């Protein structure tokens, strides 16, 4: 005898219990976000949603929860992520945009406002396009450019810009190589570069990151500062005098990154905390 499908409220409660018993982080949030996206309702509406799930909905939800039990991130299960005002599609080559990176965008927007709300921006290693598209959408007077070394990543970033109504110029480039047409014109360079060394990845990263984010966007090799060194060494030809540089950093990296910039001729200006109170972005200025 086939049992009837549970209500949304009961399905979310049961799923959260399964996730909690398996040690999955934030089990209630995972269960409710997946269900709210499945039903196209707000998460807060689940508690008042007493209608039973259809058989198809129940089967799909169970499949999604099974994937979450294997520590697959919610965003990978859905195929998209929310960031600020954006919904961004993902592919296997694009890093999941996370709330930590909002501090990078906030700092970049502040620097743009100090320039009157209009400047030429380049986002190095754009991934899903989260930073570049946010800047283009929230400061539409800016001339925003974004780069990546992966054609597949650039394809998903272009799609995300289009679906979010943002104008971003995308380039296949490896740091400054491939951006010669922009030489000396960049007022703001922003980047969330790979900054995790592979040796410490096992102890530093949760399975949701270690096993599901693209290695090329995550790992910096044996030296966690290798991409910062390259940025400071290779990007000055792109920068106008007085250009701002905003970089996302890993835990306990702020002082070292600012010092690397100072040694390369940049002027350290500021460090910005993320929502958890951890230093997550640094600001430097390039003066020719």
């Amino acid at each position: 005898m086939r049992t009837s499908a549970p209500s949304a409220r009961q399905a979310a409660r049961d799923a959260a219990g399964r996730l909690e018993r398996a040690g999955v982080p934030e089990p209630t949030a995972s269960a409710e976000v997946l269900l709210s996206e499945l039903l196209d309702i707000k998460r807060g509406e689940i508690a008042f949603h007493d209608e039973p799930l259809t058989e198809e909905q129940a089967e799909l939800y169970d499949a999604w929860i099974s994937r979450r039990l294997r520590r697959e991130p919610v965003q990978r299960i859905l195929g998209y992520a929310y960031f600020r005002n954006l919904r961004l599609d993902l592919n296997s080559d694009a890093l999941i945009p996370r709330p930590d990176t909002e501090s990078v965008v906030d700092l970049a927007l502040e620097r743009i406002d100090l320039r009157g709300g209009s400047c030429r921006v380049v986002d190095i290693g754009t991934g899903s396009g989260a930073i570049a598209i946010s800047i283009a959408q929230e400061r539409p007077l800016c001339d925003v450019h974004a780069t990546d070394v992966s054609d597949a990543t650039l394809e998903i970033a272009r799609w995300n810009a289009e679906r979010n109504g943002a104008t971003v110029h995308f380039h296949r480039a490896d740091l400054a190589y491939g951006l010669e047409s922009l030489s000396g014109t960049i007022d703001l360079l922003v980047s969330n570069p790979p900054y995790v060394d592979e040796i410490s990845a096992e102890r530093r990263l949760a399975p949701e990151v270690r096993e599901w984010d693209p290695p090329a966007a995550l790992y910096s090799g044996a030296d966690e500062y290798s991409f910062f060194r390259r940025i400071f060494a290779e990007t000055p030809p792109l920068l106008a005098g007085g250009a701002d540089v905003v970089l996302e950093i890993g835990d306990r990296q702020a002082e070292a990154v600012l010092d690397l910039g100072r040694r390369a001729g940049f002027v350290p200006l500021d460090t910005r905390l993320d929502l958890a109170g951890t230093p997550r972005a640094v600001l430097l200025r390039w003066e020719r």
Side-chain angles (χ1 to χ4, degrees):
M1 180 178 178
R2 179 179 296 173
T3 59
S4 60
S7 68
R9 179 170 51 189
Q10 187 61 49
R13 185 181 298 120
D14 292 346
R18 292 173 62 193
L19 295 171
E20 183 175 19
R21 289 190 294 274
V24 176
E26 300 182 328
T28 300
S30 292
E32 291 182 352
V33 168
L34 287 171
L35 188 58
S36 65
E37 293 296 313
L38 174 65
L39 299 179
D40 194 24
I41 62 175
K42 294 180 180 179
R43 184 177 164 188
E45 295 176 14
I46 291 174
F48 309 100
H49 205 281
D50 291 324
E51 296 84 357
L53 303 182
T54 67
E55 184 176 347
E56 293 77 13
Q57 288 171 337
E59 289 178 356
L60 180 55
Y61 186 54
D62 183 67
W64 282 1
I65 294 301
S66 296
R67 291 168 66 179
R68 187 71 188 102
L69 286 166
R70 297 192 291 271
R71 303 299 291 270
E72 185 174 356
V74 167
Q75 298 93 332
R76 296 286 177 207
I77 296 169
L78 295 173
Y80 54 85
Y82 293 103
F83 182 81
R84 295 177 75 87
N85 303 316
L86 310 173
R87 196 190 104 164
L88 301 168
D89 285 359
L90 302 172
N91 61 16
S92 59
D93 297 293
L95 196 74
I96 295 173
R98 294 181 171 86
D100 290 349
T101 302
E102 293 208 23
S103 59
V104 177
V105 176
D106 288 338
L107 182 52
L109 295 178
E110 289 176 18
R111 304 309 293 184
I112 292 168
D113 290 344
L114 289 174
R115 296 173 179 272
S118 175
C119 66
R120 176 168 281 179
V121 181
V122 66
D123 172 26
I124 300 292
T126 196
S128 66
I131 294 175
I133 297 169
S134 293
I135 291 173
Q137 186 186 71
E138 297 180 45
R139 298 296 184 273
L141 295 180
C142 286
D143 178 27
V144 181
H145 297 256
T147 78
D148 210 282
V149 296
S150 165
D151 289 328
T153 303
L154 287 171
E155 183 178 352
I156 199 70
R158 286 191 184 96
W159 163 246
N160 283 329
E162 180 180 343
R163 71 167 294 156
N164 285 284
T167 300
V168 180
H169 308 284
F170 291 97
H171 309 260
R172 190 178 188 280
D174 183 5
L175 286 178
Y177 182 75
L179 292 178
E180 291 77 11
S181 63
L182 300 179
S183 293
T185 69
I186 299 300
D187 303 301
L188 170 64
L189 184 149
V190 62
S191 182
N192 176 13
Y195 53 70
V196 179
D197 69 275
E198 296 176 78
I199 297 172
S200 66
E202 185 68 30
R203 61 179 173 80
R204 289 179 60 184
L205 300 179
E208 285 83 354
V209 178
R210 187 178 65 245
E211 297 175 13
W212 295 97
D213 269 337
L218 193 63
Y219 298 124
S220 58
D223 176 9
E224 61 188 300
Y225 299 105
S226 62
F227 276 85
F228 297 110
R229 297 180 199 278
R230 288 192 60 195
I231 287 170
F232 293 136
E234 299 177 29
T235 63
L238 297 177
L239 305 178
D244 293 312
V245 176
V246 177
L247 304 173
E248 181 165 332
I249 56 170
D251 296 349
R252 300 177 299 279
Q253 290 183 338
E255 184 176 345
V257 172
L258 289 172
D259 187 59
L260 286 172
R262 182 186 298 109
R263 292 170 182 268
F266 292 79
V267 180
L269 295 180
D270 196 9
T271 300
R272 185 58 53 88
L273 307 181
D274 62 21
L275 296 175
T278 300
R280 189 58 62 196
V282 292
L283 169 66
L284 305 97
R285 184 176 63 240
W286 173 249
E287 294 182 349
R288 291 185 183 276

